[in-house]
Amino acid sequence: MDAQTSIKAKIGTFERVPLTHLPTRLEELPALSRQLGFRLWVKRDDQTGLAFGGNKARKLEFIMADVLRHEADSIVTWAGVQSNWCRQTAAAAARLGKRSVLVLLSKPGGSTHRDGNLLLDHLLGSEVRIVEPTESRSFLRLANVEEFIRPVLEEEQAAGRKPYVAPVGGSLVEGSMERPLGAIGYLNAFVELTEQARAMGVIVDAVVLASGSSGTQAGLLAGAHLLSSTTKIVGISVTESEDILKGYVTDVADRVLVEIGADSRVSAEGLVVFDDYLKEGYGVLNQEVTNAIRLLARSEGLLLDPVYTGKAMAGLLDLAGQGYFKDCENVVFLHTGGTPALFPYRDELVSLLQS
């Protein structure tokens, strides 16, 4: 049995709830390829289905199976007000007939208008709690938001329900999730990508993605490691500094390797994270991101979002200009979805598009 078949067999041992339309397409972007000097492809994980699609659907297939295993009545999770993760968790909960409670962290003075993902959260039937932390903090760790999550859990339990605490992004092994289930979804995605590329006669030199809560990059990195692939997994941070995000990715990727039964662990040399494009911080739109969104829309008819894929594409374009991909023939951009977030940014986008 070859390595790829063996990994697929091990992934097949994980319980899974079908939520996605797989495989997602791998498409070349011809206009940008001509401009950049290498073949640029896009892996269309914005088309996974499930309430406008996105990368979280792959993760939720495994996580929702865990919800069923725990015999939970409700799913409690958290993130920013315009969270793609929360929107898709709400959709998955609705599919399974489960209650979802979303604790959404708003920045001081931030908009809580029911638009974009927030509108969809309400439409999907979630109970939405918007809170405003008194100080700036990373929301990736449960410990940093426990003061907001604990009262929700107490209320759920008092109402006779059994809540499942799903970590933001389905990434870090926290809350009720005791295994790196979200990242297993992206281990599976790497195998899928490898099979598609081989069928097309393509060797993928690099995969570029927005790296937020770490699970997507960790799963891809574990896949490249297990298949001894030369594919470089390039994360463009949209949440944390390079050092912090690398620590999260390493931890989750190594947990995936343990689950699969590998003796080895990921190497520091193979872990690539750029925090140069985080700029003003998570969810803050700037001119470079706007330019990337406009370029993809007008050259390829492909829509990106202001928080994740727009920032990741801005990073890819800048790195290409610096010659980072000079030895690459084929680079894949992972489109992780997030299109609903375009609409709450309409005023800023229009203003910056005119700059």
Side-chain angles (χ1 to χ4, degrees):
M1 184 183 297
D2 64 24
Q4 192 155 305
T5 304
S6 175
I7 294 168
K8 289 175 71 173
K10 289 176 180 176
I11 293 171
T13 65
F14 286 80
E15 294 179 349
R16 187 172 173 183
V17 174
L19 296 171
T20 56
H21 304 160
L22 300 180
T24 59
R25 288 178 61 85
L26 178 63
E27 303 171 346
E28 189 172 3
L29 299 176
L32 269 182
S33 296
R34 289 191 293 271
Q35 178 179 323
L36 296 174
F38 53 80
R39 295 178 80 184
L40 180 63
W41 303 76
V42 58
K43 178 67 169 157
R44 296 298 303 270
D45 274 19
D46 58 318
Q47 296 183 339
T48 54
L50 192 65
F52 281 99
N55 64 320
K56 306 305 190 296
R58 286 188 188 267
K59 299 179 175 187
L60 284 161
E61 289 199 321
F62 295 92
I63 294 169
M64 296 308 290
D66 202 40
V67 170
L68 296 178
R69 185 180 68 82
H70 278 77
E71 299 182 342
D73 305 300
S74 61
I75 301 127
V76 177
T77 194
W78 72 94
V81 171
Q82 283 295 333
S83 167
N84 300 311
W85 158 250
C86 286
R87 179 245 309 165
Q88 290 210 289
T89 299
R95 283 275 289 272
L96 270 64
K98 302 292 183 181
R99 169 178 161 83
S100 58
V101 185
L102 309 177
V103 179
L104 305 181
L105 286 75
S106 176
K107 296 178 181 178
S111 173
T112 56
H113 183 65
R114 292 182 181 181
D115 195 359
N117 283 317
L118 184 54
L119 170 64
L120 298 175
D121 295 338
H122 287 282
L123 183 62
L124 290 162
S126 287
E127 180 174 335
V128 175
R129 310 277 187 93
I130 297 179
V131 300
E132 188 174 301
T134 56
E135 58 186 29
S136 178
R137 66 183 79 176
S138 168
F139 57 72
L140 297 187
R141 283 286 185 194
L142 177 57
N144 291 342
V145 296
E146 191 171 5
E147 65 186 276
F148 306 115
I149 301 299
R150 190 187 313 110
V152 175
L153 299 181
E154 291 171 354
E155 290 175 26
E156 290 298 290
Q157 290 162 350
R161 290 185 284 266
K162 184 179 181 181
Y164 181 101
V165 181
V168 60
S171 295
L172 301 181
V173 180
E174 292 191 326
S176 303
M177 194 177 80
E178 300 161 340
R179 305 165 74 188
L181 298 175
I184 293 293
Y186 269 87
L187 168 61
N188 192 50
F190 188 82
V191 174
E192 178 183 301
L193 171 63
T194 301
E195 290 178 337
Q196 286 176 309
R198 181 182 297 130
M200 294 177 175
V202 169
I203 296 174
V204 177
D205 299 298
V207 175
V208 181
L209 71 148
S211 196
S213 59
S214 79
T216 300
Q217 185 171 3
L220 295 173
L221 186 65
H225 178 86
L226 287 165
L227 291 177
S228 301
S229 172
T230 58
T231 302
K232 186 180 295 186
I233 310 299
V234 180
I236 306 296
S237 176
V238 300
T239 55
E240 298 284 359
S241 68
E242 176 186 344
D243 289 344
I244 291 174
L245 193 53
K246 277 186 171 182
Y248 290 159
V249 173
T250 300
D251 177 61
V252 177
D254 283 344
R255 287 174 182 265
V256 170
L257 296 178
V258 170
E259 290 286 345
I260 297 299
D263 296 327
S264 56
R265 300 293 176 262
V266 297
S267 65
E269 295 76 20
L271 179 53
V272 180
V273 171
F274 288 98
D275 62 8
D276 311 60
Y277 309 101
L278 186 55
K279 297 293 177 80
E280 299 87 351
Y282 175 77
V284 180
L285 182 63
N286 59 35
Q287 189 67 59
E288 291 80 10
V289 174
T290 303
N291 292 345
I293 292 172
R294 173 171 50 197
L295 176 63
L296 268 290
R298 297 182 183 181
S299 64
E300 300 286 358
L302 186 67
L303 298 177
L304 306 180
D305 81 287
V307 182
Y308 290 91
T309 54
K311 194 161 282 190
M313 180 56 71
L316 186 156
L317 295 171
D318 184 67
L319 289 170
Q322 295 179 38
Y324 181 80
F325 301 109
K326 60 180 171 51
D327 296 324
C328 295
E329 293 183 8
N330 296 283
V331 175
V332 173
F333 179 74
L334 178 64
H335 194 322
T336 51
T339 309
L342 275 168
F343 303 101
Y345 284 82
R346 62 171 65 83
D347 294 338
E348 292 172 78
L349 274 168
V350 170
S351 176
L352 289 168
L353 283 169
Q354 295 171 347
S355 297

